[in-house]
Amino acid sequence: MYRKGKLYFRYGTMGSAKTALLLTTAYNFEERHVDYLCMKPVVDTRENSNVIRSRIGIERECKWIYHNTDLYNFAKELYTAEKRIVDWYLIDEAQFLTERQVDQLSRVVDDFGSNVVCYGLRTDFKSRLFEGSRRLFEIADTIDEIKSTCNCGHKTIINARIDSNGNIVNEGAQVEIGGNDRYVAVCRKCWRNRRIEQIRKTELPLVFAEEDNFDL
């Protein structure tokens, strides 16, 4: 049987309703009796059970993806054991996939004709691409941005990491799981200005305080 699938990457900053969109899609598939499967990298440890949960409170059971999970073999074993070819794979937090796992998903699309939709972040708190996101940008058939707005009115681009005092953090490991208490999505200008203000506060002499009104 000839099947034609696609590999999709839908990315946005934190708080852009990526997970809510995934869960809404899953609900619509269920209503239409479309075969689908939700999956999520286990690196996201905020949940004790295998669920995908949105900030607005909706959730759905999912399959864990471990760091060593071979996603192509997973699809192959489903077919061997159940004669099942999943029509749609919905994958949350796709930025945490390895490059190899993204390549495996592309083989699921090409060999089985399944559609794979990956939802995730583009960059980390330093504005650097995640491994999984980079590979998706390189090989995905369709790339869509889920846009959201910064408090200043511009489009959010940066997932800024903050400390307990609300100051932007510029150092640390790339992966640190957290929600609104650890991250805030901002535009590039706000991210840059808040970082410069923070450096000025800690490094420049107080005598220059009156000259800190530059439009950066």
Side-chain angles (χ1 to χ4, degrees):
M1 180 175 60
Y2 178 74
R3 295 164 55 96
K4 185 177 181 180
K6 283 187 176 182
L7 176 61
Y8 300 81
F9 183 34
R10 294 176 177 166
Y11 71 92
T13 54
M14 297 186 72
S16 60
K18 299 181 302 300
T19 300
L21 180 59
L22 181 155
L23 294 171
T24 302
T25 301
Y27 174 80
N28 289 334
F29 284 161
E30 194 167 286
E31 289 290 296
R32 293 159 48 198
H33 306 288
V34 174
D35 186 21
Y36 75 95
L37 186 63
C38 294
M39 304 186 77
K40 177 181 177 181
V42 76
V43 68
D44 186 349
T45 56
R46 285 173 292 181
E47 305 296 343
N48 294 322
S49 56
N50 55 321
V51 297
I52 294 174
R53 178 177 288 118
S54 170
R55 297 185 185 202
I56 62 176
I58 57 177
E59 63 181 54
R60 191 165 293 267
E61 186 177 341
C62 68
K63 294 284 187 182
W64 285 137
I65 300 173
Y66 296 92
H67 189 74
N68 62 348
T69 299
D70 187 317
L71 293 169
Y72 183 78
N73 282 342
F74 176 84
K76 187 177 180 180
E77 289 169 4
L78 266 183
Y79 179 72
T80 301
E82 305 176 19
K83 300 301 179 185
R84 178 186 179 189
I85 298 178
V86 177
D87 291 326
W88 292 85
Y89 288 92
L90 306 177
I91 299 180
D92 196 30
E93 306 288 6
Q95 71 273 6
F96 295 137
L97 296 171
T98 66
E99 179 177 330
R100 179 174 294 182
Q101 287 172 329
V102 174
D103 287 339
Q104 291 162 1
L105 289 174
S106 71
R107 288 190 64 198
V108 172
V109 171
D110 296 340
D111 292 359
F112 292 99
S114 299
N115 293 285
V116 177
V117 190
C118 295
Y119 298 81
L121 303 175
R122 178 176 63 173
T123 58
D124 62 16
F125 73 106
K126 294 182 180 180
S127 74
R128 305 299 181 186
L129 287 169
F130 284 97
E131 178 183 348
S133 303
R134 179 187 295 109
R135 190 58 177 154
L136 284 163
F137 275 117
E138 292 169 345
I139 67 171
D141 297 298
T142 299
I143 299 172
D144 299 308
E145 182 180 12
I146 303 170
K147 297 178 181 179
S148 61
T149 305
C150 180
N151 288 338
C152 72
H154 291 95
K155 184 180 73 172
T156 58
I157 294 177
I158 308 295
N159 302 294
R161 184 181 294 173
I162 57 176
D163 61 19
S164 58
N165 296 317
N167 296 315
I168 289 179
V169 176
N170 299 308
E171 301 296 333
Q174 183 182 54
V175 178
E176 182 177 317
I177 303 301
N180 294 335
D181 59 326
R182 296 295 291 130
Y183 293 94
V184 58
V186 295
C187 70
R188 182 179 58 251
K189 185 175 182 180
C190 286
W191 177 68
R192 186 190 65 191
N193 286 348
R194 287 180 65 180
R195 182 172 64 178
I196 290 174
E197 288 172 3
Q198 189 173 321
I199 292 173
R200 284 179 174 157
K201 181 172 63 177
T202 58
E203 295 185 1
L204 291 184
L206 293 178
V207 68
F208 293 107
E210 295 181 357
E211 301 180 15
D212 275 357
N213 295 319
F214 301 110
D215 184 14
L216 297 175

